[in-house]
Amino acid sequence: MPHAADNRTLKHGCIVMASGVGARFGGNKLMAELCDAPLVGHVVRATDDLFSRRVVVARHADVAALCETLGAQVILHDEPCRNDTVRLGMEAMDGCDTVTFVQGDQPLIRPASIAALLRAAERDAAGAVKRDAAGRGVADVAGCDAVGAALADTAEDYAMGLDAVKCDVDAAAGCDAAESDVAGAAKHDAVGYNAAVSSVARIWRTSFDGVPGAPVLFPSWAFDELRSLPRGKGGGFVAKTHAECVRTIEVSSEWELFDVDTRDDLERLQTHVARCGSAGLPR
């Protein structure tokens, strides 16, 4: 079956965040094993064949060595803060239209859920705001037609086999969708957005039961902000700053977004996988 990210027109980049010090875990949690493979190994495999560029940003030599054996480009560093990790990853994303941040401690994230983010960005670009001669935005899809288009795209996702991943279309409810998109475009202008450079208007992130999480996809209009984050901040800072531009993709299970911070977390994850068998692992 074709992958949801096939036939893409955008150049998608991926940064795997693998620089945690593991203070709450009591060591390098990313090399802790789940089903005979390190946590970060599951994450790297989940991103295989989805991106034009992919980089793992790591501070541990063993994490770097593992990810290189799995075919990933690695940036090994000793910078102190989360914003440093983001900046280093962004340095490898030249030429990308989007960048998706994937957490190295979420081993059950499904490739289909990551691909759904990319597909959402592709739809976003296809219906992007165009610039007229006066420099004003004209929406491709206007009025109540936006509702039908959004629902049709969601149905197409199911038809292509993404039966466990559904697109959150709350922003397309009623006739307000076009107004919301135009307002978002105006906000982008205020922060330097240029549709000729970035045709993706929205930040896309995964969620479960309405609660947003990671991975998160950012369009290129957010890149400068990602490169210059306040000390200690990550991509979530940019997503909160532009909350009106954020849309979500609902994933199939809370376990996809479950991140391992402590040894108790790892035991919970191991128990879940043992109970579910192979069905508990990402596919």
Side-chain angles (χ1 to χ4, degrees), residues 7-195:
N7 302 317
R8 54 198 173 195
T9 60
L10 302 175
K11 187 173 182 179
H12 298 289
C14 174
I15 299 173
V16 178
M17 300 286 281
S19 295
V21 296
R24 295 175 59 194
F25 191 85
N28 180 8
K29 64 180 179 179
L30 298 178
M31 293 300 290
E33 291 197 351
L34 178 70
C35 296
D36 301 319
L39 299 181
V40 71
H42 290 288
V43 175
V44 170
R45 290 189 180 96
T47 65
D48 281 347
D49 303 321
L50 291 176
F51 297 96
S52 300
R53 290 178 181 264
R54 178 183 63 175
V55 64
V56 179
V57 187
R59 68 172 66 253
H60 297 286
D62 51 356
V63 171
L66 169 69
C67 294
E68 286 176 343
T69 64
L70 295 175
Q73 177 187 352
V74 176
I75 297 174
L76 184 62
H77 72 101
D78 59 359
E79 298 282 355
C81 297
R82 188 171 184 82
N83 60 292
D84 297 315
T85 303
V86 174
R87 174 178 49 78
L88 290 170
M90 290 300 300
E91 289 175 359
M93 295 293 111
D94 286 350
C96 289
D97 299 299
T98 76
V99 169
T100 300
F101 287 85
V102 182
Q103 304 303 311
D105 60 358
Q106 291 180 212
L108 297 189
I109 189 66
R110 296 171 66 237
S113 296
I114 300 173
L117 292 175
L118 306 185
R119 187 170 180 80
E122 294 282 344
R123 285 198 306 269
D124 200 353
V129 173
K130 293 182 178 180
R131 302 295 176 180
D132 62 13
R136 293 175 297 180
V138 179
D140 283 341
V141 181
C144 295
D145 291 342
V147 180
L151 295 177
D153 282 338
T154 303
E156 182 183 2
D157 282 348
Y158 284 103
M160 290 193 66
L162 292 178
D163 55 317
V165 182
K166 59 181 180 178
C167 183
D168 177 33
V169 294
D170 56 348
C175 296
D176 294 334
E179 295 177 7
S180 174
D181 285 348
V182 172
K187 173 68 177 292
H188 296 156
D189 285 337
V191 296
Y193 173 83
N194 184 338

